[in-house]
């Protein structure tokens, strides 16, 4: 049964998915897996991982090798993933707890017959005796074609997505020896990679590491001033009517921010693990299906979200580390159109993150790793040079200044803050020495700047030699100095009042042995300056539609309205029917025949057959 000649993978890509060519490493990976090799695939979010197992699944199925099993933790998204495959004419299904008994049995029959091309299931399901028995039966008959383990970083305890059930997936290696296996992830660091190889028994797998650059994403990190206002300005000035995600550190802040945005007339939904499953699912579905919604969420939201037209990801709180930041921001702009990653960060973020690590129950070794990761993230936030060079450098990739981050677009002014840092440290020292207790940041800055407040009078801090020695700088600059000193670990905050204290490291700075160069805080939003220069276009505003003339715009709108009807009828997100870019190309080129329509990227054989005539009619109208 294995002697049927398989079709060439490129032909499958073109016929089924309607794409011209493989991207980056896709072609190589596909060849390797079709040939029976194991693979570890590391690609950034939006890099095109799905096709690297879907194309081999189709090719091998047509060669009589049976079913590909896709292991995924994302139960809530399986319906859309399977729906997208059925839309392009690939027989796929999922088995999970959302199905009733009859539905599940129907799918099991399809599975056992070998007719299914792909089956999606969560690990806890796969490891049940009933499920394993079905896989055994397929395997014995040579009908288990391929095992693809998606979101493979879930097997690693180092990430925040660790799932116990993933650990047991290693047993599939021995049980189904000879069946090629793939592990796919967008997490690239060494520790995670080593965990995946070891725990999923992939020592013999070939590793494919794609470039982690996402050139269409613009990175911007601003000093937190009035975060809500800063966010609102971003949404109104840059991303009006566009879909995006706003990440917050706590559930409470998620609720508050979503409600506040609603009050400001911006359609926003909250999402966090404390909400009912039904509410979470409803909000997720609305975000995927409707246009222009803002999802305000904790990190509980986002894994597996393959909505292609998310135009911005904003962080109101510092993420946990650079890996998390990169995964979260990677959810913007999967369609390759301009998108933005924006973050506001301030002293409190640094304090909170440090405290979370210190107060955690993890062992010292684990904490040491976490502190190192936090430091790398803080260095990124404080950087005056290209953010992308630093991000990619963190993942071991060398690059040149990108021209598409805040620091490249408007190089920040810097100032020599070594002297100021010494003044600040000696002021903390004097206050502590004089009063025997520590003080918080607000009071420290008042003393430094020589402000006669009640508290200053009460504690006689106007008598200190350091009173007013920092009058030459404004408060924003001093906050920057303090934040930097906390980030560098020379100052720590203690107790429930966040009182400041020096560490051993402060001594070297006090002696002037540690040069400190800081960014000058920006008063106006950097962006306003960008626009006055006239150099730079907006990060948002989907480029596809922006290039259409008025007539084409009208056709584009008509196609979108048509697509919305189909999507509703099939209970799928609109982008599963066709991407914006595909509709824009149709509007632009106005194909008059099915043959002409077939040449547009994203139009495969099945969609041409199902929708071709209707599209030509919409265009003709
Ligand atoms: P990942 O799973 O790596 O985050 P996806 O597999 O969802 O990324 O792919 C991201 C987007 O890129 C999808 O919309 C997909 O249709 C598109 N895409 C992937 N490969 C190609 C290709 N070779 N040609 C055109 N579009 C592609
Ligand atoms: Zn740059």
């Amino acid at each position: 049964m294995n002697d049927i000649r398989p079709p060439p993978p490129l032909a499958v890509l073109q016929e089924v998915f309607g794409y011209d060519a493989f991207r980056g490493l896709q072609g190589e990976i596909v060849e390797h897996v079709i040939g029976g090799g194991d693979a570890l695939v590391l690609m950034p979010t939006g890099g095109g991982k799905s096709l690297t197992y879907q194309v081999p699944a189709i090719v091998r199925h047509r060669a009589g090798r049976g079913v590909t099993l896709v292991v995924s933790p994302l139960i809530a998204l399986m319906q859309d993933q399977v729906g997208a495959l059925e839309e392009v004419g690939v027989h796929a299904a999922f088995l999970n707890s959302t199905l009733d008994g009859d539905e599940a049995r129907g799918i099991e029959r399809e599975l056992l017959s070998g007719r299914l091309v792909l089956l999606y299931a969560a690990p806890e399901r796969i490891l049940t005796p009933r499920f394993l028995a079905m896989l055994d039966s397929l395997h014995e008959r040579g009908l288990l074609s391929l095992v693809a383990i998606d979101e493979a970083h879930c097997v690693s305890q180092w990430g925040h997505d660790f799932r116990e059930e993933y650990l047991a997936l290693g047993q599939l290696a021995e049980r189904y020896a000879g069946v090629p296996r793939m592990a796919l992830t967008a997490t690239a660091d060494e520790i995670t990679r080593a965990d995946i190889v070891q725990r999923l028994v992939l020592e013999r797998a070939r590793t494919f590491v794609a470039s982690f650059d996402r050139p269409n994403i613009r990175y911007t990190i601003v000093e937190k001033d009035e975060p809500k206002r800063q966010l609102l300005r971003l949404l109104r000035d840059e991303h009006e009517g566009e879909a995006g995600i706003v990440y917050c550190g706590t559930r409470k802040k998620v609720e508050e921010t979503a409600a506040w945005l609603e009050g400001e007339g911006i359609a926003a939904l909250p999402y966090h693990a404390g909400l009912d499953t039904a509410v979470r699912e409803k909000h997720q579905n609305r975000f995927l299906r409707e246009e222009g919604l803002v999802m305000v969420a904790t990190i509980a939201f986002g894994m597996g979200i393959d909505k292609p037209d998310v135009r911005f990801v904003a962080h109101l709180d510092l993420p946990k580390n650079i890996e998390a930041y990169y995964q979260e921001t990677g959810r913007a702009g999967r369609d390759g159109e301009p998108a933005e990653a924006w973050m506001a960060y301030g002293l409190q973020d640094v304090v909170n993150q440090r405290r979370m690590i210190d107060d955690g129950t993890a062992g010292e070794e684990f904490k040491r790793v976490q502190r190192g990761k936090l430091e790398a993230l803080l260095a990124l936030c404080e950087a005056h040079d290209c953010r992308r060079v630093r991000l990619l450098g963190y993942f071991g990739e060398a690059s040149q200044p990108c021209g598409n981050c805040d620091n490249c677009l408007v190089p920040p002014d810097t100032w020599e803050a070594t002297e100021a840092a010494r003044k600040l440290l000696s002021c903390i020292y004097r206050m502590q020495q004089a009063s025997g207790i520590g003080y918080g940041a607000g009071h420290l800055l008042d003393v430094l700047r020589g402000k006669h407040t009640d508290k200053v009078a009460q504690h006689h801090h106007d008598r200190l030699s350091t009173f007013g020695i920092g009058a030459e700088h404004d408060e924003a600059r001093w906050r920057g100095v303090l934040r930097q000193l906390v980030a560098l670990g020379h100052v720590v905050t203690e107790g429930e009042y966040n009182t400041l204290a020096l560490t051993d490291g402060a001594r070297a700075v006090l002696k002037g042995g540690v040069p400190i160069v800081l960014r000058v805080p920006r008063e106006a939003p950097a962006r306003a300056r960008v626009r006055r220069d006239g150099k730079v276009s907006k990060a948002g505003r989907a480029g596809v539609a922006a290039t259409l003339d008025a007539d084409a715009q009208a056709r584009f709108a008509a196609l979108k309205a048509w697509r919305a009807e189909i999507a509703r009828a099939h209970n799928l997100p609109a982008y599963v029917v066709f991407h914006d870019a595909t509709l824009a190309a149709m509007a632009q080129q106005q194909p008059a025949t099915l043959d002409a329509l077939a040449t547009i990227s994203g139009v495969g054989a099945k969609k041409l057959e199902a929708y071709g005539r209707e599209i030509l009619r919409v265009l003709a109208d």
Side-chain angles (χ1 to χ4, degrees):
M1 99 179 345
N2 293 346
D3 53 0
I4 306 167
R5 242 184 93 166
L10 184 61
V12 167
L13 179 78
Q14 292 168 342
E15 176 214 313
V16 177
F17 297 94
Y19 296 142
D20 295 339
F22 286 113
R23 272 189 196 156
L25 296 174
Q26 280 176 334
E28 257 181 274
I29 300 168
V30 162
E31 288 285 352
H32 176 73
V33 174
I34 290 172
D38 293 344
L40 171 58
V41 176
L42 308 167
M43 269 190 196
T45 311
K49 283 184 287 300
S50 324
L51 286 182
T52 67
Y53 60 82
Q54 289 169 351
V55 171
I58 298 164
V59 171
R60 288 175 67 91
H61 189 269
R62 289 189 189 173
R65 290 181 178 272
V67 188
T68 289
L69 173 67
V70 184
V71 185
S72 162
L74 307 165
I75 290 176
L77 296 170
M78 284 178 189
Q79 197 205 326
D80 290 354
Q81 288 171 327
V82 163
L85 285 164
E86 291 282 348
E87 282 288 316
V88 295
V90 176
H91 191 22
F94 61 86
L95 274 176
N96 65 34
S97 48
T98 66
L99 299 176
D100 67 33
D102 279 348
E103 288 171 317
R105 273 186 295 281
I107 290 166
E108 287 175 6
R109 271 195 301 277
E110 283 299 288
L111 172 67
L112 286 168
S113 73
R115 276 194 296 270
L116 268 186
V117 182
L118 292 111
L119 180 78
Y120 286 72
E124 56 273 22
R125 180 94 179 194
I126 290 166
L127 298 161
T128 59
R130 182 184 174 87
F131 199 99
L132 286 173
M134 290 192 292
L135 291 184
D136 290 348
S137 156
L138 282 175
H139 184 50
E140 279 154 25
R141 292 177 285 139
L143 289 178
L144 183 58
S145 168
L146 169 68
V147 177
I149 302 174
D150 206 1
E151 312 289 352
H153 60 282
C154 290
V155 82
S156 172
Q157 259 137 342
W158 292 106
H160 51 248
D161 294 326
F162 174 62
R163 314 233 168 176
E164 190 90 43
E165 317 83 60
Y166 261 67
L167 291 175
L169 292 170
Q171 62 180 270
L172 300 180
E174 198 182 329
R175 195 167 181 130
Y176 305 122
V179 176
R181 287 175 308 125
M182 305 174 74
L184 306 106
T185 179
T187 304
D189 65 304
E190 278 299 331
I191 311 176
T192 311
R193 199 193 297 189
D195 269 357
I196 294 173
V197 167
Q198 191 229 326
R199 297 187 168 161
L200 296 180
V201 198
L202 284 166
E203 283 85 1
R204 286 211 299 272
R206 190 161 143 203
T207 301
F208 296 88
V209 189
S211 166
F212 268 67
D213 191 15
R214 297 285 312 281
N216 61 314
I217 298 182
R218 173 180 302 174
Y219 298 96
T220 302
I221 302 177
V222 302
E223 281 113 30
K224 211 181 260 187
D225 171 17
E226 290 173 293
K228 280 190 190 154
R229 296 262 148 228
Q230 288 170 295
L231 175 69
L232 193 60
R233 209 156 44 211
L234 176 82
L235 300 195
R236 287 214 173 122
D237 294 357
E238 301 293 319
H239 299 286
E240 204 185 340
E242 296 181 337
I245 306 171
V246 176
Y247 280 111
C248 300
T250 62
R251 296 171 183 187
K252 184 157 162 261
K253 190 154 165 187
V254 164
E255 301 270 355
E256 279 171 10
T257 308
W260 183 75
L261 285 177
E262 277 288 336
E264 294 291 332
I266 290 177
L269 297 169
Y271 189 106
H272 58 71
L275 294 170
D276 281 348
T277 314
V279 174
R280 283 207 310 262
E281 248 164 52
K282 191 173 107 204
H283 288 184
Q284 174 164 304
N285 274 331
R286 282 192 60 195
F287 180 70
L288 296 178
R289 281 162 174 71
E290 296 174 27
E291 289 193 49
L293 279 185
V294 176
M295 186 67 110
V296 186
T298 61
I299 55 166
F301 178 75
M303 194 180 17
I305 293 294
D306 57 1
K307 186 176 168 65
D309 57 353
V310 174
R311 295 267 68 84
F312 65 89
V313 170
H315 280 91
L316 282 183
D317 294 303
L318 200 62
K320 200 164 157 186
N321 51 42
I322 291 185
E323 287 90 337
Y325 172 72
Y326 210 65
Q327 286 234 343
E328 286 149 28
T329 57
R331 289 162 193 153
R334 294 165 84 107
D335 53 8
E337 298 294 328
E340 173 153 42
W342 181 92
M343 169 157 74
Y345 114 110
L347 175 63
Q348 201 54 44
D349 287 300
V350 185
V351 169
N352 289 346
Q353 289 281 2
R354 281 212 187 285
R355 173 148 315 164
M356 249 188 299
I357 296 174
D358 291 342
D359 295 353
T361 51
E364 246 338 285
E365 170 63 14
F366 193 84
K367 287 184 177 176
R368 202 180 51 76
V369 174
Q370 284 185 310
R371 286 193 192 103
K373 286 180 178 241
L374 175 60
E375 254 146 51
L377 176 61
L378 295 177
L380 173 74
C381 295
E382 299 284 353
H384 336 128
D385 50 5
C386 177
R387 311 266 191 204
R388 192 180 314 267
V389 166
R390 282 179 178 259
L391 278 169
L392 294 175
Y394 183 80
F395 297 116
E397 208 175 314
S399 64
Q400 294 298 313
C402 71
N404 193 26
C405 71
D406 54 352
N407 287 351
C408 281
L409 290 167
V410 185
D413 297 328
T414 57
W415 63 293
E416 224 286 294
T418 314
E419 188 55 31
R422 293 174 64 190
K423 287 180 177 176
L424 188 149
L425 294 175
S426 42
C427 194
I428 295 178
Y429 180 75
R430 293 280 167 226
M431 281 161 60
Q432 162 94 37
Q433 195 188 37
S435 315
I437 56 169
Y439 294 89
H443 182 59
L444 167 75
L445 299 192
D446 287 345
V447 174
L448 262 174
R449 300 184 58 225
K451 280 167 74 175
H452 290 279
T453 65
D454 290 349
K455 191 161 181 180
V456 164
Q458 196 186 336
H459 294 254
H460 307 300
H461 282 162
D462 45 357
R463 295 185 200 158
L464 293 176
S465 61
T466 54
F467 183 75
I469 54 167
E472 73 272 31
H473 299 310
D474 64 15
E475 177 159 335
R477 281 218 184 184
W478 280 118
R479 283 205 172 270
V481 178
L482 178 60
R483 191 183 64 229
Q484 179 74 348
L485 289 168
V486 174
L488 291 170
H490 302 315
V491 175
V492 291
T493 58
E494 297 173 335
E496 71 175 299
Y497 299 111
N498 284 325
T499 57
L500 301 165
L502 305 185
T503 65
D504 288 347
R507 206 164 303 149
V509 183
L510 272 168
K511 286 194 191 128
V514 182
I516 290 180
V517 178
L518 294 181
R519 317 164 54 101
V520 174
R522 287 184 173 143
E523 279 134 43
R527 209 160 299 280
R529 289 200 252 162
V530 175
R531 284 228 215 107
R532 270 201 298 276
D533 290 353
K535 285 198 295 216
V536 180
S537 66
K538 287 189 172 191
R541 271 323 153 240
V544 261
T547 58
L548 301 176
D549 65 26
D551 282 353
Q553 284 286 2
R555 288 190 291 274
F556 183 55
L559 288 168
K560 278 174 109 173
W562 166 82
R563 178 181 67 178
E565 276 174 41
I566 303 287
R568 247 193 312 276
H570 296 200
N571 187 24
L572 286 171
Y575 61 81
V576 167
V577 180
F578 283 115
H579 283 184
D580 280 2
T582 303
L583 293 191
M586 291 173 186
Q588 176 94 57
Q589 297 171 24
Q590 289 192 73
T593 64
L594 288 175
D595 283 347
L597 184 59
T599 63
I600 290 174
S601 177
V603 184
K606 169 79 189 296
K607 284 184 180 172
L608 186 70
E609 186 196 313
Y611 305 129
R613 284 179 197 292
E614 286 175 61
I615 292 167
L616 295 181
R617 184 182 48 75
V618 173
L619 284 172
D621 289 349

